[in-house]
Amino acid sequence: MQFSESWLRTFCNPAISTAQLADTLTMAGLEVEELKPVAPPFTQIVVGEIKEAEQHPNADRLRVCKVDVGQAELLNIVCGAPNARVGIRIPCALVGAELPPGEDGKPFLIKVGKLRGVESQGMLCSARELKLYEDHGGLMELPLDAPLGTNIRDYLDLDDTLFTLKLTPNLAHCLSVYGVAREVSALTGAPLLAPEFPAAAVAIQDKVAVKISAPDLCGRFSGRVIRNVNTKASTPQWMVDRLSRCGQRSVSPLVDISNYVMVELGRPSHIFDLEKIQGGLDVRWGREGEQLKLLNGTTVTLDEKVGVIADGQHVESLAGIMGGDATAVSDDTRHIYLEAAFWWPKSIAGRSRRFNFSTDAGHRFERGVDPQGTVEHIERITQLIIEICGTAETQCGPVEDVVSTLPAAPPVSLRVARAVKVIGMPLTQEQCATALRRLGLSVHEAEGVVTVTPPSFRFDLQIEEDLIEEVARMVGYNNLPHTPPQAPITAKIRLESERSPFAVRRSLAALGYQETINFSFVEERWEHELAGNSNPIKLLNPIASQMSVMRSSLVGSLLQVLRFNLARKAPRVRVFEIGRVFLRDASVKSTDSTVEGFDQPMRVAGLASGGADALQWGRKDQTVDFFDVKGDVEALLAPLKPEFVPAQHPALHPGRTTAVMLDGKTIGFVGELHPKWRQSYELAHAPVIFELELDAVLARKVPVFQSVAKFQAVQRDVAVVVGDQVSHADIVSAVRAAPTDGLLRDVQLFDVYRPKVGKDQATEAGSTDRSLALRLTLNSDDATLTEEQIDAAMKAVVAQLVSSVGARQRV
């Protein structure tokens, strides 16, 4: 919400400075986000009039002007503006004037000079040179009644300040200059000048028949016919200035008037070209397949969830959001129909976002507008139309007010004791009642209770907490006491068997991954394709069409990050995310941190693509593969020893995917992206992805003391032939299960040999077999191992391999 301080002070003018006013509003909950002067500093620029304008003798594009600035003599000024002509009044910088600073930050000083041999005693200014607004049309032309010699800052009220408020949704009654003035009056005690709404003289009985077919869309619809208006009139400069300082561009007099009253009183309205309306108006919900061309030039397709205003043949307006192009006023319009309505906020909320645009009208209606002011505001708009666009033939019809259903305003009670407890400071009943009365509320007092009947413009007051907030705002948040906490604060010490999420982030960063943070809302297609989730959790009101469901996996988010980086020519991408996923689970009950029927576990996921190493000279370039990422997962889980079991995942390659298991429980997966998704997402190389349960990653074993061996360890190698179906995990498990009397300390696989098979050759060990070479480390805590102990342990290991995995020792 942006407005000028001078406009605000026409309604309420407290005896405080601009800075104090901004601080007062902020401390009352109306946060002043920005204060900005209307114009930059400049001096000695006055209103002047060009009396003579002759061609420069030595330049085709320059003119020599005689300018009257209210002094005894005319000033001789050389000007190159294309619109420099006799009779116009313009800003004139006198000798000694300082213009706004340029790009170098230094002010521009006006001196007596010569241009092509002709003396110039000043400078005629454009709006761009004064930095009032961007205008390339030449000199800034002022009204012909502008008093000569008057300081331009005083004449245009340039010593003004623009206020920008950051309002919360419950402060919709402050989305107007008068609404803010009402708050200022309550906060400072300064008198409030209430606007008057004189009824226009009714000269004709013309009406437009209005029917409200959807009471849940529109509660009240008021309208009036006005004939013989002059739409070619010019919008007054004071209105143009006030609108521009509120961020509104001047369009045409009728549109400007409608926008002006919207900013002034907070009520959006719409003006139809009466001659373009076919029959009466019907306020209803849209119908499937209907189309409407809007004022912004776009054509939208409607359905039964969007409100419209339709005439006998076509849809003419998007209810509460934007008018249609077919009935828009133009320079040829002579007769108009003026409309002001109350739209239910729920019927407007979110509709404009469906069509990818937003409007000031929709912003106000979806937060709430006073349902009782439609007639008065039509009178205010009528008054301005007659003043600006009226002619001798202008005639007004009666205001037709159609009411269907209006919101009820039941009394709301505030318990003083409850207010004291919530606000945290001592308050009396008189203080609470006085604060509410200052806001213009009707207050009834009983013992310890204050009851308020909310006026129509305070539709946000519905429960006791709303009144408590109003009392706190009137007291001022800066006046609340600083009370230290009474309860002792004890630092929570993390168990030694747990590590923090920050430690996990640090570990992944040490492995070369960069953290990303993504939305929990994702595209529904990702859930179907990458998570195999046919029934994702859908959002009732998504912020964007491609963010319509809650994610059940982090894979889609990481792939999106990968594509973003690849589109910017990143050769190597290693990213991770720690985030929440959302799963349906009927066993979950509602608590302070859970929602019934939904599980929300934390996951950690990573993605690697591109080179296995950053640019270096030590070894050949190699693309990252499954084993690189598998090693990263092992390092992340260390000292825990995970087991990797072949598995299937809808997002991953069917032959290059494993489940990650700890203590017999699956905690996640590692694998290469499925070829069809790599092709679908247009990736040159398949990235390798892992996703793990965060709780399992956070768990860690408490270190246990173990003495250093006092005797020399012994290493022995053994080669066995096994079938392709036997995994490395099966081999290690069999070796560790062998009865070695506790002598086995470690086992490592150091070689894999698969015989080559030619067309005319017989395989040495069978085409599906391979030879694995294992290195065993043996030791004892009691004495140096003897050859008999070593041989017995090795025979036990080989026997266990033969019996467990069907291996045979290779000689």
Side-chain angles (χ1 to χ4, degrees):
M1 172 65 186
Q2 179 179 301
F3 57 89
S4 65
E5 181 183 4
S6 61
W7 193 0
L8 175 67
R9 289 184 181 271
T10 61
F11 289 113
C12 182
N13 189 15
I16 56 178
S17 66
T18 300
Q20 290 172 323
L21 177 60
D23 185 64
T24 299
L25 288 171
T26 299
M27 287 299 102
L30 284 73
E31 181 184 351
V32 178
E33 193 173 30
E34 184 182 16
L35 286 177
K36 186 171 68 173
V38 168
F42 54 78
T43 61
Q44 297 189 46
I45 299 178
V46 300
V47 177
E49 180 181 349
I50 300 178
K51 294 296 186 180
E52 299 178 16
E54 298 179 354
Q55 183 66 43
H56 192 291
N58 301 319
D60 294 337
R61 298 186 178 181
L62 298 178
R63 297 175 72 81
V64 180
C65 302
K66 298 290 184 179
V67 182
D68 184 2
V69 293
Q71 297 179 357
E73 298 181 358
L74 300 180
L75 300 180
N76 194 70
I77 299 178
V78 179
C79 178
N83 62 333
R85 63 187 188 277
V86 174
I88 63 171
R89 298 198 175 188
I90 33 76
C92 178
L94 305 178
V95 174
E98 285 189 358
L99 266 65
E103 294 181 359
D104 57 358
K106 298 179 180 179
F108 184 71
L109 184 64
I110 301 299
K111 302 177 181 178
V112 176
K114 286 190 175 182
L115 292 176
R116 296 289 183 93
V118 177
E119 184 178 71
S120 183
Q121 301 170 328
M123 175 179 170
L124 305 184
C125 303
S126 67
R128 187 179 186 186
E129 289 164 334
L130 297 180
K131 294 190 175 179
L132 298 181
Y133 47 84
E134 292 293 327
D135 182 11
H136 303 277
L139 300 177
M140 180 180 178
E141 298 189 25
L142 303 174
L144 297 179
D145 59 352
L148 296 177
T150 302
N151 190 312
I152 202 71
R153 299 193 72 92
D154 296 334
Y155 177 70
L156 295 178
D157 193 19
L158 299 181
D159 293 321
D160 197 359
T161 304
L162 298 182
F163 278 63
T164 301
L165 301 186
K166 186 178 181 181
L167 299 176
T168 52
N170 65 315
L171 294 174
H173 62 283
C174 295
L175 284 171
S176 65
V177 177
Y178 181 69
V180 177
R182 194 163 43 205
E183 292 288 313
V184 172
S185 176
L187 293 167
T188 63
L192 176 67
L193 180 62
E196 297 181 356
F197 306 103
V202 176
I204 56 176
Q205 295 301 316
D206 295 1
K207 294 181 180 180
V208 172
V210 175
K211 180 176 66 172
I212 301 179
S213 299
D216 55 337
L217 167 66
C218 178
R220 186 174 192 172
F221 194 98
S222 303
R224 157 177 278 166
V225 172
I226 305 178
R227 293 192 177 275
N228 302 314
V229 295
N230 177 19
T231 55
K232 297 181 181 180
S234 298
T235 305
Q237 189 62 41
W238 61 267
M239 182 177 285
V240 173
D241 291 341
R242 284 186 174 179
L243 286 174
S244 65
R245 294 175 189 182
C246 295
Q248 298 282 341
R249 179 176 58 89
S250 178
V251 179
S252 66
L254 290 177
V255 175
D256 292 346
I257 291 170
S258 177
N259 288 338
Y260 180 85
V261 174
M262 178 183 68
V263 178
E264 180 185 45
L265 303 175
R267 178 175 303 283
S269 59
H270 187 61
I271 301 176
F272 296 85
D273 187 324
L274 181 63
E275 294 179 307
K276 296 177 181 178
I277 298 176
Q278 306 296 321
L281 295 178
D282 185 11
V283 182
R284 58 172 174 82
W285 292 107
R287 295 165 186 158
E288 192 70 35
E290 285 185 321
Q291 291 191 328
L292 171 64
K293 184 178 181 182
L294 299 171
L295 289 173
N296 61 5
T298 62
T299 300
V300 296
T301 301
L302 310 175
D303 57 29
E304 65 279 357
K305 295 181 180 179
V306 180
V308 300
I309 302 175
D311 61 15
Q313 297 184 4
H314 305 97
V315 176
E316 302 297 353
S317 177
L318 206 56
I321 298 175
M322 185 180 290
D325 182 70
T327 55
V329 294
S330 64
D331 289 346
D332 298 325
T333 299
R334 295 180 59 248
H335 312 303
I336 62 173
Y337 179 73
L338 174 61
E339 164 264 313
F342 166 70
W343 307 98
W344 290 98
K346 289 184 179 180
S347 69
I348 305 300
R351 268 56 175 191
S352 59
R353 287 194 292 273
R354 295 180 57 188
F355 304 114
N356 297 321
F357 67 85
S358 62
T359 63
D360 290 329
H363 179 76
R364 286 167 169 79
F365 279 127
E366 68 183 3
R367 283 160 175 76
V369 173
D370 183 359
Q372 296 294 342
T374 56
V375 174
E376 291 81 359
H377 294 172
I378 279 187
E379 294 291 0
R380 172 60 172 158
I381 298 172
T382 302
Q383 177 189 16
L384 292 173
I385 289 176
I386 292 174
E387 289 179 5
I388 298 171
C389 303
T391 65
E393 293 80 23
T394 299
Q395 296 176 311
C396 298
V399 177
E400 186 177 17
D401 187 24
V402 181
V403 179
S404 59
T405 54
L406 295 180
V412 183
S413 296
L414 175 145
R415 294 165 291 173
V416 177
R418 174 66 176 166
V420 170
K421 183 177 181 180
V422 173
I423 297 175
M425 67 180 296
L427 291 170
T428 65
Q429 181 169 325
E430 182 181 358
Q431 287 177 299
C432 294
T434 301
L436 296 173
R437 287 193 179 99
R438 282 162 53 190
L439 287 165
L441 307 179
S442 175
V443 176
H444 174 74
E445 296 186 56
E447 184 64 31
V449 178
V450 176
T451 302
V452 169
T453 301
S456 59
F457 65 86
R458 289 308 305 267
F459 37 79
D460 59 304
L461 301 179
Q462 299 177 358
I463 59 177
E464 183 180 26
E465 282 71 15
D466 295 331
L467 296 184
I468 294 175
E469 180 185 4
E470 295 304 301
V471 172
R473 290 199 312 112
M474 290 298 103
V475 170
Y477 296 129
N478 54 327
N479 294 322
L480 299 180
H482 299 278
T483 306
Q486 301 299 317
I489 299 176
T490 304
K492 183 179 179 181
I493 301 175
R494 190 178 299 277
L495 297 176
E496 195 175 356
S497 60
E498 295 181 5
R499 56 177 169 174
S500 67
F502 177 76
V504 175
R505 291 183 171 92
R506 187 168 52 189
S507 298
L508 284 167
L511 292 169
Y513 291 81
Q514 292 182 318
E515 185 176 11
T516 66
I517 300 175
N518 301 291
F519 280 108
S520 297
F521 319 132
V522 298
E523 191 172 346
E524 186 172 2
R525 182 171 66 97
W526 296 358
E527 285 297 298
H528 296 321
E529 296 178 351
L530 303 176
N533 185 3
S534 60
N535 186 25
I537 302 170
K538 296 185 178 182
L539 298 171
L540 294 178
N541 188 21
I543 60 175
S545 59
Q546 70 273 19
M547 305 171 74
S548 59
V549 301
M550 306 297 290
R551 64 184 178 183
S552 63
S553 171
L554 306 182
V555 173
S557 300
L558 294 180
L559 283 176
Q560 183 185 37
V561 173
L562 172 63
R563 296 180 67 196
F564 181 88
N565 282 270
L566 293 179
R568 286 151 183 79
K569 307 301 180 183
R572 182 174 182 269
V573 179
R574 297 172 78 91
V575 292
F576 77 93
E577 180 180 4
I578 296 179
R580 199 174 296 279
V581 297
F582 303 85
L583 311 170
R584 297 184 186 274
D585 188 346
S587 65
V588 177
K589 305 300 180 183
S590 289
T591 66
D592 291 341
S593 58
T594 61
V595 178
E596 184 175 2
F598 299 98
D599 188 19
Q600 305 175 53
M602 293 290 290
R603 300 271 181 86
V604 54
L607 177 148
S609 177
D613 302 301
L615 186 64
Q616 47 84 45
W617 58 270
R619 62 175 185 171
K620 294 181 179 179
D621 291 340
Q622 182 177 342
T623 303
V624 67
D625 61 16
F626 169 84
F627 296 102
D628 294 317
V629 177
K630 174 177 175 286
D632 292 340
V633 172
E634 290 178 323
L636 179 63
L637 293 172
L640 302 176
K641 298 292 185 181
E643 182 182 355
F644 296 88
V645 180
Q648 299 289 324
H649 190 280
L652 304 180
H653 194 297
R656 300 175 186 177
T657 302
T658 64
V660 183
M661 303 187 70
L662 279 177
D663 300 327
K665 178 186 175 184
T666 302
I667 65 165
F669 58 84
V670 184
E672 184 180 294
L673 186 67
H674 198 290
K676 67 178 178 180
W677 304 136
R678 180 186 66 79
Q679 184 178 8
S680 174
Y681 289 93
E682 299 179 348
L683 304 176
H685 303 284
V688 185
I689 305 167
F690 71 85
E691 183 172 347
L692 308 172
E693 294 178 5
L694 182 61
D695 289 342
V697 178
L698 296 181
R700 61 190 305 174
K701 290 184 178 179
V702 177
V704 178
F705 171 76
Q706 187 175 2
S707 61
V708 178
K710 298 178 181 180
F711 304 98
Q712 182 69 36
V714 175
Q715 291 184 333
R716 291 288 187 270
D717 296 343
V718 60
V720 294
V721 178
V722 295
D724 250 354
Q725 76 280 2
V726 180
S727 68
H728 171 259
D730 296 333
I731 296 289
V732 173
S733 297
V735 171
R736 293 192 181 278
T740 60
D741 295 330
L743 301 182
L744 181 66
R745 293 292 186 265
D746 191 24
V747 55
Q748 293 290 336
L749 172 69
F750 68 90
D751 186 40
V752 178
Y753 172 71
R754 189 189 303 275
K756 294 183 179 179
V757 181
K759 292 182 178 179
D760 301 324
Q761 295 175 327
T763 63
E764 178 184 346
S767 60
T768 61
D769 293 344
R770 65 193 192 282
S771 173
L772 306 180
L774 306 172
R775 177 161 294 168
L776 308 182
T777 301
L778 307 174
N779 204 348
S780 173
D781 296 330
D782 301 326
T784 303
L785 295 179
T786 65
E787 285 298 328
E788 291 78 9
Q789 289 175 306
I790 296 171
D791 290 342
M794 294 299 296
K795 290 179 180 178
V797 168
V798 172
Q800 185 67 33
L801 287 171
V802 171
S803 62
S804 296
V805 297
R808 66 178 184 274
Q809 187 173 8
R810 181 172 181 177
V811 180

